[in-house]
Amino acid sequence: KRDISLYGAEDEKYYDKNLDAFLRALPERQPIQDTIAVLENDLNILKSKIYNKKLTELDDHVVAYENGELPFESFVTYISDLYPADSLKREFPQVNQLGESIRIKNKVDLAEAEAQRGELIERLSRNLTRVEMEEFLKATVEFKAKTMDGVAYHNVLKKLYDAMGKKSQSLDRAFPQLSAYIEYLNKHETLDKFGLFTEIDKLVERIKNGLYTSYTQKGLDQNLRIIRLLRNLYSTQLLTHDLRKIEQYKDELDARKLKKFIEKESQRLKLELTIPSDARLEDMKKTLPAVQDFYYYAAQRNNILATNTLRAMAAESESVGILVTGGFHTEGITDYLKEKRIPFVVIAPKVDKLDESDERYINALQGKKTPFEEMIESEKEAPQKQQ
């Protein structure tokens, strides 16, 4: 309801470096993606011959999750059940907390929890002191106006009910479904979302280490990780926390090593596999630095975006600002703000499914117009032609 100031948060120098790195790799991108697909298919055939049953089942779940075929919560429940409960709680607290919240949610009857909330509100309205009633009304108004989230509001209700003391039963006995729902909200909303994904990767690795029965299985697993990283690298689908894996495997991101492993194992197992030529692998080797630079400069822009936003806020003497940016930058920017002890909130869309094709993203990087922009331009040109 008032004027706002708009600033570009980018640094032209680093943005251009980021873009240039991608455009250098673009001409060879599709042939290389085809090569990666062949290598990955070869490794999957070897997997069916080399992995034991438990390793195959675990890796199939990992692939299904990464491809969006297995829901996130189902995947977390699956891997949690493969690890001793006491060790999970001690070594992977974020995964354990999420698992507990999932189990609670699956037992909660949401319709009944909502009905019990109505009963609780009615009971509170009859028994609260004047001061407590003011707190209750204030929280209710803020909750309805969406300036207070559901977790905070339900915790206010719980606190006010608990303060009634001996006047009534405990919340979990009087309103069991509502009590369980509040417990779920608290466990789920206090998760360290970024730390959670790091823990998930480590947990899967720990479980696999306990399932290997040969060095060949371990070598195959590492090669599968590498080919999947290469696939994500060239398809612009790499996530921020995957950059650590790129650093971890930087000396292994060599398709020639993958080819050597495939040739050796296919001969041992007497398999006839389609293996890419050395020329194809050499093309990948040449473009890999440019693709890595693309992500390197994208990560470098995290602090720049945050710093420029804070600088603009200072110029406007504003204590609140909004930075609009791609999801890739979220983790890096929030880490920067945490380090500077600057409070923030992340507002992100709930994405149920990503487009399999990244054509729109590629077109944007190349400066191509979207179909909508082309339609608008054609409508603008139409009246001029008529004249």
Side-chain angles (χ1 to χ4, degrees):
K1 303 235 176 153
R2 63 184 178 88
D3 291 337
I4 59 171
S5 297
L6 298 177
Y7 284 80
E10 291 283 6
D11 178 281
E12 187 175 2
K13 174 184 172 184
Y14 275 88
Y15 183 85
D16 285 346
K17 282 185 175 182
N18 196 179
L19 180 60
D20 177 66
F22 182 80
L23 295 178
R24 277 188 282 124
L26 186 61
E28 301 297 328
R29 183 170 172 266
Q30 188 56 56
I32 289 173
Q33 285 181 307
D34 294 339
T35 300
I36 289 171
V38 172
L39 291 169
E40 186 169 10
N41 184 61
D42 289 344
L43 289 170
N44 283 329
I45 293 172
L46 290 177
K47 185 178 89 169
S48 68
K49 304 294 183 182
I50 294 172
Y51 270 7
N52 56 49
K53 184 178 178 181
K54 289 184 177 179
L55 265 174
T56 301
E57 182 182 290
L58 173 57
D59 194 63
D60 286 347
H61 276 77
V62 170
V63 172
Y65 161 62
E66 290 179 348
N67 291 342
E69 298 160 2
L70 180 67
F72 174 64
E73 291 188 354
S74 299
F75 177 67
V76 171
T77 300
Y78 169 76
I79 59 174
S80 297
D81 290 342
L82 294 177
Y83 207 70
D86 290 342
S87 300
L88 185 75
K89 189 174 183 178
R90 183 176 62 255
E91 299 167 20
F92 302 99
Q94 296 301 317
V95 176
N96 182 70
Q97 184 174 324
L98 176 59
E100 288 179 349
S101 75
I102 293 170
R103 282 189 286 273
I104 293 168
K105 187 185 78 169
N106 290 339
K107 292 179 181 178
V108 171
D109 182 333
L110 292 177
E112 181 60 24
E114 188 172 345
Q116 289 183 4
R117 184 179 70 184
E119 294 174 23
L120 172 59
I121 289 173
E122 186 178 343
R123 187 176 301 185
L124 289 174
S125 64
R126 294 197 308 264
N127 293 283
L128 294 179
T129 65
R130 181 183 171 186
V131 174
E132 290 170 335
M133 183 58 76
E134 287 179 358
E135 182 181 1
F136 165 67
L137 292 174
K138 181 174 182 292
T140 300
V141 169
E142 290 181 356
F143 177 62
K144 289 182 177 179
K146 297 184 179 180
T147 56
M148 176 181 284
D149 63 34
V151 183
Y153 179 64
H154 284 86
N155 282 332
V156 169
L157 297 182
K158 183 179 185 304
K159 185 189 79 169
L160 292 171
Y161 181 81
D162 290 343
M164 292 168 62
K166 296 181 180 180
K167 294 179 184 178
S168 56
Q169 295 176 314
S170 61
L171 186 70
D172 60 334
R173 292 189 63 187
F175 305 102
Q177 291 297 320
L178 178 62
S179 179
Y181 179 64
I182 293 173
E183 185 181 1
Y184 159 72
L185 287 176
N186 281 309
K187 284 185 178 295
H188 192 272
E189 295 304 318
T190 56
L191 282 167
D192 175 0
K193 303 299 192 299
F194 299 122
L196 172 65
F197 289 102
T198 300
E199 282 194 5
I200 288 173
D201 290 340
K202 288 181 179 178
L203 175 58
V204 170
E205 186 174 352
R206 188 80 57 85
I207 295 169
K208 283 186 174 181
N209 284 335
L211 296 176
Y212 297 136
T213 56
S214 70
Y215 286 110
T216 304
Q217 290 175 350
K218 191 167 186 176
L220 174 59
D221 182 63
Q222 177 160 320
N223 282 311
L224 282 168
R225 292 184 201 183
I226 289 168
I227 198 66
R228 290 165 189 169
L229 272 177
L230 285 169
R231 188 217 311 148
N232 289 341
L233 262 173
Y234 280 92
S235 63
T236 67
Q237 292 180 359
L238 204 70
L239 301 175
T240 307
H241 67 271
D242 286 333
L243 291 177
R244 302 187 192 101
K245 297 179 189 176
I246 295 297
E247 183 63 26
Q248 179 183 352
Y249 293 113
K250 65 180 179 181
D251 296 330
E252 306 299 322
L253 294 176
D254 188 338
R256 292 170 302 179
K257 291 183 179 180
L258 291 173
K259 179 182 177 181
K260 187 175 180 181
F261 177 87
I262 292 169
E263 287 176 333
K264 177 184 174 183
E265 291 305 314
S266 62
Q267 289 173 9
R268 181 177 71 85
L269 296 168
K270 296 181 173 55
L271 296 172
E272 292 187 9
L273 301 178
T274 302
I275 301 175
S277 66
D278 287 338
R280 283 287 187 91
L281 302 183
E282 189 63 27
D283 289 340
M284 189 185 301
K285 181 185 176 184
K286 290 177 181 177
T287 58
L288 187 59
V291 178
Q292 289 175 298
D293 280 349
F294 170 71
Y295 286 99
Y296 169 76
Y297 286 120
Q300 289 287 304
R301 285 164 48 220
N302 293 336
N303 289 4
I304 292 171
L305 292 166
T307 301
N308 286 346
T309 301
L310 295 171
R311 185 179 295 123
M313 288 167 61
E316 298 289 333
S317 299
E318 288 284 0
S319 60
V320 177
I322 300 172
L323 170 61
V324 181
T325 185
F328 174 86
H329 300 286
T330 304
E331 185 175 355
I333 290 173
T334 55
D335 284 345
Y336 176 86
L337 296 175
K338 285 177 187 175
E339 183 182 333
K340 299 293 183 182
R341 301 181 67 81
I342 296 170
F344 64 89
V345 60
V346 176
I347 302 173
K350 181 180 179 182
V351 181
D352 295 320
K353 185 178 180 181
L354 289 170
D355 290 340
E356 292 183 7
S357 170
D358 55 3
E359 183 181 356
R360 286 187 295 176
Y361 181 66
I362 302 303
N363 288 343
L365 287 174
Q366 292 180 283
K368 294 181 179 178
K369 293 182 174 64
T370 66
F372 180 73
E373 288 172 322
E374 290 177 351
M375 181 186 73
I376 294 296
E377 287 199 359
S378 65
E379 289 183 356
K380 286 181 178 178
E381 292 173 0
Q384 295 177 358
K385 290 179 181 178
Q386 290 175 1
Q387 291 173 3

